[in-house]
């Protein structure tokens, strides 16, 4: 229904983005793989979007890369994988990394993601082995070159909240963030390092 949105980035607090499209603010949920490449607030960007309609809510999900949206759409067709879990998977692994996990039957890499148990990991490998979407164009759709986000007043707390939104338990999220040298780093950088430490 809504294939893409092009507008000004006015707010970003993982996993939420607010995009001003000709005076209308769209709230869009996005994976961390998109947040890592976002430009500064005020820049114009284009997001490939997917609308999920339910009785109690209309949720819009956005991705800088078409390959990420294609993978998201494939993931939510798998039994037991909803939009939130698909977003978590895409936050923990890039589309390229997920492809490798499936192709190599690497269920261990998948189980490290929050919300993905052994049975879900095995189901993902079995169901997606022969029907993963092509990676296609993995370039980032931004009108401005991505640049470092300004460091928030409390980036560690924001990072913990974001990790909790992605499915991690508060205690685990706090432990992951505390293990990172967060001095001078943005929320997105802290999350990236925390996830890298967990997924090794």
């Amino acid at each position: 229904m809504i294939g893409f949105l092009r507008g000004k980035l006015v707010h970003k607090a993982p996993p939420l983005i607010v995009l001003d499209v000709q005076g209308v603010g769209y709230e869009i949920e996005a994976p961390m793989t998109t947040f890592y490449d976002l430009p500064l607030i005020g820049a114009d960007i284009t997001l490939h979007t997917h609308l999920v309609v339910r009785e109690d809510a209309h949720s819009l999900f956005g991705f800088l890369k078409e390959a990420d949206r294609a993978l998201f759409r494939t993931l939510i067709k798998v039994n037991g994988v909803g939009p939130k879990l698909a977003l978590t998977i895409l936050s923990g692994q890039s589309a390229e990394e997920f492809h490798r996990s499936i192709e190599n039957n690497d269920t261990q890499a998948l189980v490290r993601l929050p919300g993905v148990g052994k049975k879900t990991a095995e189901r993902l490998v079995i169901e997606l082995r022969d029907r993963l979407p092509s990676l296609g164009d993995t370039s980032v759709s931004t009108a401005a070159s991505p640049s470092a986000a300004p460091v928030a007043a409390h980036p560690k707390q924001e990072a913990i909240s974001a990790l909790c939104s992605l499915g991690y338990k508060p205690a685990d999220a706090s432990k992951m963030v505390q293990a990172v040298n967060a001095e001078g780093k943005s929320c997105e950088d802290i999350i990236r390092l925390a996830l890298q430490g967990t997924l090794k």
Side-chain angles (χ1 to χ4, degrees):
M1 183 179 178
I2 302 175
F4 71 89
L5 289 172
R6 182 182 295 118
K8 182 180 293 185
L9 179 64
V10 295
H11 179 73
K12 53 179 179 177
L16 188 68
I17 292 170
V18 178
L19 200 63
D20 181 342
V21 181
Q22 297 182 350
V24 178
Y26 287 87
E27 291 187 348
I28 305 161
E29 292 187 65
M32 288 311 303
T33 46
T34 285
F35 271 88
Y36 297 149
D37 290 326
L38 285 175
L40 292 171
I41 296 294
D44 289 333
I45 63 171
T46 297
L47 291 177
H48 303 284
T49 56
H50 179 86
L51 179 65
V52 174
V53 179
R54 291 182 172 166
E55 288 184 8
D56 57 344
H58 288 199
S59 301
L60 197 57
F61 297 88
F63 312 87
L64 284 173
K65 300 174 184 177
E66 173 60 36
D68 285 346
R69 182 179 67 173
L71 179 53
F72 176 85
R73 287 176 166 174
T74 300
L75 284 169
I76 60 177
K77 292 176 184 176
V78 175
N79 185 34
V81 179
K84 291 289 186 182
L85 183 53
L87 211 64
T88 298
I89 291 171
L90 278 169
S91 291
Q93 289 190 336
S94 66
E96 295 87 347
E97 290 168 337
F98 185 79
H99 272 248
R100 282 198 297 273
S101 294
I102 297 300
E103 290 167 359
N104 298 331
N105 296 326
D106 190 356
T107 56
Q108 290 303 311
L110 298 173
V111 168
R112 294 190 193 104
L113 299 166
V116 179
K118 184 177 180 182
K119 288 185 178 179
T120 301
E122 291 172 348
R123 188 183 306 122
L124 286 168
V125 169
I126 292 169
E127 292 193 26
L128 299 182
R129 187 180 293 127
D130 299 319
R131 62 188 185 97
L132 278 176
S134 168
L135 288 175
D137 183 9
T138 58
S139 61
V140 173
S141 301
T142 55
S145 298
S147 51
V151 177
H154 302 288
K156 289 178 73 171
Q157 287 303 317
E158 285 188 13
I160 292 170
S161 296
L163 288 168
C164 290
S165 298
L166 293 171
Y168 287 93
K169 294 177 182 177
D172 292 337
S174 179
K175 184 177 179 181
M176 290 163 63
V177 169
Q178 296 305 326
V180 172
N181 178 7
E183 186 176 352
K185 293 183 174 64
S186 68
C187 172
E188 290 85 356
D189 287 338
I190 294 171
I191 293 170
R192 186 204 301 264
L193 292 169
L195 289 172
Q196 286 174 349
T198 301
L199 300 175
K200 285 181 180 177

